[in-house]
Amino acid sequence: MSDIVGVINYGIAGNIHSIKKAIEKAGGTVKVINNKEDFKVVSKIVIPGVGSFKDAMKELENDNLMASLKEEIKTKPTLGICLGMQLLSTLGFEYGRTEGLSAIDAEVKPMLVDAKVPHMGFNNINVLNSNDLLKNLENEEFYFMHSYEVVNYTNIIALTDYAGHKFVSSIQKDNLYGVQFHPEKSREAGIKLFKNFLEL
Amino acid sequence: MRTRIIVKFDVKPPYVVKPVHFEGLRKIGLPMDLAKKYYLQGADEVMYVDIVASLYQREILFDEVEKTANELFIPFGVGGGVRSIEDFSKLFHSGADKVIINTYAVQENPDIINQAAEIFGSQAIVVSIEAKKWKNNWECYTDCGRIQSNKDVIDWVKEVEKRGAGEILLQSVDCDGRQRGFDIELSKKVVEAVHIPVVISSGAGTLEDIKEVIEQAKPSGIAIASILHYDKYTVQDIKEYLRKNDIEVSK
């Protein structure tokens, strides 16, 4: 694999350290994307996520990455992780109403569930449509840490059940993939997911 | 939901130590070595607290944090001496997934919780509580149970939830390091007082202690130190025992 994976480094919130490490453990090469020139050498993109929806969109704009990112994810295989998946949506409602990258027709809303929120800990995924990213991971557990969920009806590839509430835990639209959980925090199962991503 | 089994590191750099009653320290080992050990044992998460940073009023040591993070492919919470948004940011960039705050928020500036939640998201903000019983109530302490805050634990956990904290790490000054069981009454009250996850710490001596506090208080996670650090049990021993007793845990 000669692919180089670009991991977007934006704002003061992002923890790209663990994602970089996990991709390297899966056998990949990582280029941290600090400015739009960095996109040239990468053939795949990972959008990490620590932070709030509103703040993340602001930081992408401040760091002058927004326009290039929107363009790049039209063609390159892209994986959004947690907030990174949420940002692919049209609209987010964390700390007010914020426009997202609008790559997938979806909205990001607070989880409404009769249980503790944030949803925090290891949970299963129920794969609805077999696909290359989640191949052979149907029975694995992944780590979730989130208070918001993606509301989408057309691009779901996996759902997760939290206290009887089923929410979207993975999406795919053409070259775009998103996972609500953190593969970089999900032991060997997460490393396998990155291997699948490298093989796309 | 699977109850998380978390390993807690009380760090007096460069060592993980184990205080008894928050005093009288014993050296256990280096954080990076222990991180690897517990990751391989199947820990769900590690929480690392520099227990002297706040007292000495110095910054947490970011290199130590980064070295420890390198061994972990599970969530990593870090705290100790955090007093600014810049501290939060530096810790995330050193490999922390969650930042744990206590002293500065409870003694000086609770607004830092609101500010941090707005920038980093609630899921990444853990408020640590050091509770000490006084008559029928519990009061928040700081700096390893040395300094009073005059804040009631139940009022404070409700307040930090409103301010945007995403999780509570509940420690008991009375039970910590003694291995004689958890403060179940306190645990129940805190879990019932908030809608955010609560991780209970301080007091595990036997596997029964852990089972009992999970059954009675229904926390989201248990943070364990002494019985793992002294190799009395492994993380897998704990998980197997809980599974046998119909308590859901991750693999």
Side-chain angles (χ1 to χ4, degrees):
Chain A
M1 263 173 291
S2 57
D3 281 356
I4 297 178
V5 180
V7 177
I8 313 291
N9 185 22
Y10 58 101
I12 59 169
N15 170 12
I16 57 162
H17 181 97
S18 50
I19 291 178
K20 179 171 184 283
K21 212 171 46 160
I23 295 172
E24 286 167 355
K25 193 162 188 218
T29 308
V30 171
K31 164 86 183 163
V32 175
I33 307 279
N34 291 310
N35 57 61
K36 56 188 180 186
E37 300 303 311
D38 293 334
F39 281 112
K40 284 179 189 158
V41 297
V42 306
S43 52
K44 286 184 175 140
I45 293 169
V46 170
I47 311 173
V50 174
S52 68
F53 195 102
K54 182 184 168 189
D55 194 68
M57 290 305 289
K58 195 178 81 189
E59 297 287 355
L60 279 173
E61 194 67 68
N62 289 350
D63 292 351
N64 205 14
L65 287 168
M66 185 80 86
S68 328
L69 181 61
K70 278 187 177 169
E71 202 48 43
E72 294 282 325
I73 63 174
K74 282 182 184 162
T75 51
K76 291 179 183 172
T78 297
L79 175 63
I81 296 174
C82 193
L83 178 69
M85 151 168 146
Q86 298 179 359
L87 295 179
L88 295 170
S89 308
T90 327
L91 274 179
F93 291 90
E94 189 174 4
Y95 291 99
R97 182 178 181 277
T98 312
E99 264 185 49
L101 295 167
S102 301
I104 288 181
D105 185 18
E107 293 190 352
V108 180
K109 296 192 166 161
M111 285 188 100
L112 295 174
V113 57
D114 187 19
K116 298 285 187 188
V117 174
H119 171 224
M120 193 91 83
F122 282 93
N123 206 337
N124 287 97
I125 55 171
N126 177 18
V127 179
L128 303 183
N129 292 313
S130 61
N131 66 89
D132 292 336
L133 184 72
L134 303 177
K135 193 175 57 189
N136 300 325
L137 295 172
E138 290 81 0
N139 298 314
E140 299 289 351
E141 298 172 319
F142 293 93
Y143 195 92
F144 289 82
M145 53 183 282
H146 62 116
S147 316
Y148 287 77
E149 64 177 76
V150 169
V151 181
N152 165 283
Y153 304 99
T154 48
N155 310 101
I156 305 169
I157 53 172
L159 289 172
T160 288
D161 185 319
Y162 178 42
H165 170 67
K166 289 192 175 64
F167 67 92
V168 179
S169 53
S170 309
I171 50 174
Q172 184 202 349
K173 186 185 171 192
D174 307 321
N175 59 313
L176 299 176
Y177 292 81
V179 291
Q180 181 57 64
F181 50 84
H182 287 268
E184 76 283 11
K185 294 286 145 191
S186 302
R187 306 194 182 105
E188 292 306 311
I191 307 296
K192 270 194 234 164
L193 186 146
F194 282 118
K195 277 188 184 147
N196 288 346
F197 180 65
L198 290 170
E199 281 166 13
L200 286 177
Chain B
M1 192 71 193
R2 298 157 176 82
T3 308
R4 283 175 283 150
I5 305 301
I6 298 163
V7 186
K8 187 159 72 78
F9 290 1
D10 298 300
V11 182
K12 185 179 180 189
Y15 295 105
V16 172
V17 295
K18 192 52 225 166
V20 179
H21 260 274
F22 284 101
E23 287 169 20
L25 304 177
R26 268 205 234 181
K27 278 184 205 167
I28 306 295
L30 290 169
M32 53 184 288
D33 298 337
L34 294 170
K36 189 166 200 174
K37 171 181 161 183
Y38 294 123
Y39 175 67
L40 294 173
Q41 280 187 11
D44 292 333
E45 208 163 321
V46 170
M47 287 190 178
Y48 173 121
V49 180
D50 183 326
I51 59 168
V52 289
S54 181
L55 194 67
Y56 297 169
Q57 300 198 331
R58 65 145 168 76
E59 277 192 335
I60 195 163
L61 304 173
F62 297 102
D63 281 359
E64 298 295 322
V65 170
E66 193 167 338
K67 276 190 242 159
T68 310
N70 279 334
E71 301 298 333
L72 295 170
F73 294 97
I74 48 172
F76 183 39
V78 186
V82 173
R83 43 187 309 125
S84 67
I85 291 300
E86 202 196 340
D87 289 342
F88 276 90
S89 180
K90 278 194 200 158
L91 285 174
F92 290 123
H93 283 279
S94 305
D97 303 293
K98 304 176 183 180
V99 169
I100 305 166
I101 186 165
N102 178 15
T103 307
Y104 183 67
V106 73
Q107 303 282 20
E108 289 182 53
N109 178 16
D111 281 340
I112 192 160
I113 299 169
N114 307 57
Q115 293 162 17
E118 187 160 347
I119 296 171
F120 306 106
S122 285
Q123 78 293 330
I125 316 299
V126 183
V127 172
S128 167
I129 310 275
E130 291 174 20
K132 193 166 180 176
K133 196 167 185 179
W134 190 77
K135 292 188 180 167
N136 291 319
N137 293 302
W138 288 266
E139 189 184 333
C140 296
Y141 273 66
T142 60
D143 300 279
C144 298
R146 283 184 184 88
I147 301 167
Q148 275 182 287
S149 72
N150 297 317
K151 281 198 171 135
D152 178 77
V153 168
I154 303 300
D155 293 344
W156 176 239
V157 294
K158 287 182 179 166
E159 182 181 336
V160 303
E161 174 178 30
K162 272 203 205 103
R163 288 179 178 277
E167 187 159 47
I168 303 283
L169 170 63
L170 179 65
Q171 311 186 73
S172 155
V173 177
D174 307 300
C175 300
D176 198 81
R178 301 185 72 185
Q179 302 184 45
R180 289 186 191 160
F182 294 87
D183 187 335
I184 292 191
E185 199 192 344
L186 166 71
S187 304
K188 271 168 102 165
K189 286 199 165 147
V190 171
V191 172
E192 283 163 13
V194 292
H195 301 98
I196 54 178
V198 177
V199 172
I200 311 262
S201 176
S202 306
T206 63
L207 298 175
E208 290 78 12
D209 291 338
I210 300 170
K211 168 177 165 274
E212 195 190 1
V213 74
I214 295 173
E215 284 177 346
Q216 300 219 23
K218 301 185 173 57
S220 303
I222 300 290
I224 297 174
S226 304
I227 60 167
L228 291 171
H229 295 332
Y230 297 139
D231 293 316
K232 199 164 162 186
Y233 301 105
T234 65
V235 176
Q236 270 318 323
D237 293 339
I238 296 170
K239 287 189 170 180
E240 266 164 42
Y241 176 84
L242 293 174
R243 247 180 245 125
K244 257 187 238 155
N245 285 280
D246 299 319
I247 293 169
E248 247 195 302
V249 287
S250 82
K251 280 180 205 162

